[in-house]
Amino acid sequence: MDVTLHLAQDPEADELLGRSPLAALVGMLLDQQVPMEWAFKGPRTIADRLGADDLDAHEIAAQDPEAFAALLSEKPAVHRYPGSMAKRIQQLCQYLVEHYDGRAELVWKGVDDGRELLRRLQELPGFGKQKAQIFLALLGKQLGVRPEGWREAAGSYGEPNSFRSVADITGPESLTKVRAHKQEMKAAAKAAKAGKTARTT
């Protein structure tokens, strides 16, 4: 991996995401309940606070949980919920150490079937089906990891020329389009929920 991503909208943070498989996974893990740029800036912030140029799964897995939570809680905090996210990041790193010798890229390296890759991603702590599909789409669309059937396995996130998720963000313009799509989806869900409530009252 050595590509330029534009997910954090911050050159140093994006540079790390583009060359570090673990940073990309951690950014994806952090991408919930906070603005996307905040989430994907997290790996760079964590690396800086650890005094490192990259994230190391063995090192993070072995950190004292309280000390690691404190590291993420320093201002500016890495996430809105730094304590619980510190725990999740450590669980992810511990899983990678146990199953992939701490090398995040082995999750997808040499996998030639999209469904198998989706299964592997879903087995990662903190990765539900949707998160796994979005990360699979990111791997295929921007990181050159394209096992057979990857678009189908990624579902709607794998569709070409769509603006549904972080997989489709290549700069400020596409970021705006993805944001607009997310707002539409939220509004539709809210309207559906309101309709359901009206029918049951």
Side-chain angles (χ1 to χ4, degrees):
M1 264 173 65
D2 193 10
V3 297
T4 303
L5 293 177
H6 300 277
L7 305 179
Q9 304 288 304
D10 172 280
E12 285 187 9
D14 281 327
E15 184 273 331
L16 178 62
L17 294 169
R19 69 175 162 84
S20 168
L22 180 55
L25 273 180
V26 169
M28 191 74 231
L29 183 66
L30 289 167
D31 187 24
Q32 54 192 35
Q33 297 173 301
V34 293
M36 188 197 71
E37 302 95 312
W38 184 2
F40 282 96
K41 203 172 176 179
R44 175 83 256 178
T45 306
I46 295 167
D48 287 346
R49 289 178 186 175
L50 289 169
D53 187 41
D54 194 357
L55 298 181
D56 182 308
H58 289 94
E59 185 190 353
I60 292 172
Q63 289 275 325
D64 173 75
E66 284 184 20
F68 191 63
L71 185 96
L72 267 70
S73 302
E74 280 176 34
K75 291 191 166 40
V78 168
H79 193 274
R80 182 177 291 156
Y81 305 107
S84 60
M85 293 316 283
K87 191 176 177 182
R88 285 190 181 184
I89 291 169
Q90 283 198 290
Q91 286 170 342
L92 173 65
C93 289
Q94 284 156 359
Y95 183 89
L96 291 171
V97 167
E98 200 177 313
H99 296 270
Y100 296 102
D101 194 28
R103 294 171 60 196
E105 70 275 14
L106 294 184
V107 174
W108 53 85
K109 205 170 181 181
V111 179
D112 54 14
D113 179 77
R115 284 172 304 180
E116 166 64 12
L117 180 49
L118 179 64
R119 185 188 67 75
R120 286 182 173 211
L121 289 168
Q122 279 186 256
E123 284 178 348
L124 298 174
F127 277 69
K129 187 176 182 184
Q130 184 185 39
K131 198 178 276 289
Q133 285 187 314
I134 292 171
F135 194 79
L136 176 52
L138 178 66
L139 285 171
K141 290 180 175 183
Q142 298 200 46
L143 298 170
V145 178
R146 300 182 182 112
E148 195 172 329
W150 71 270
R151 284 192 189 277
E152 292 78 4
S156 58
Y157 300 107
E159 289 173 9
N161 308 313
S162 62
F163 296 95
R164 293 178 185 277
S165 72
V166 299
D168 305 305
I169 294 168
T170 53
E173 191 183 330
S174 49
L175 172 62
T176 305
K177 289 180 180 177
V178 169
R179 278 246 159 83
H181 174 77
K182 286 190 172 182
Q183 292 300 338
E184 280 172 31
M185 298 302 283
K186 268 186 187 166
K190 203 173 178 182
K193 195 176 177 185
K196 199 174 175 184
T197 308
R199 286 195 301 274
T200 55
T201 50

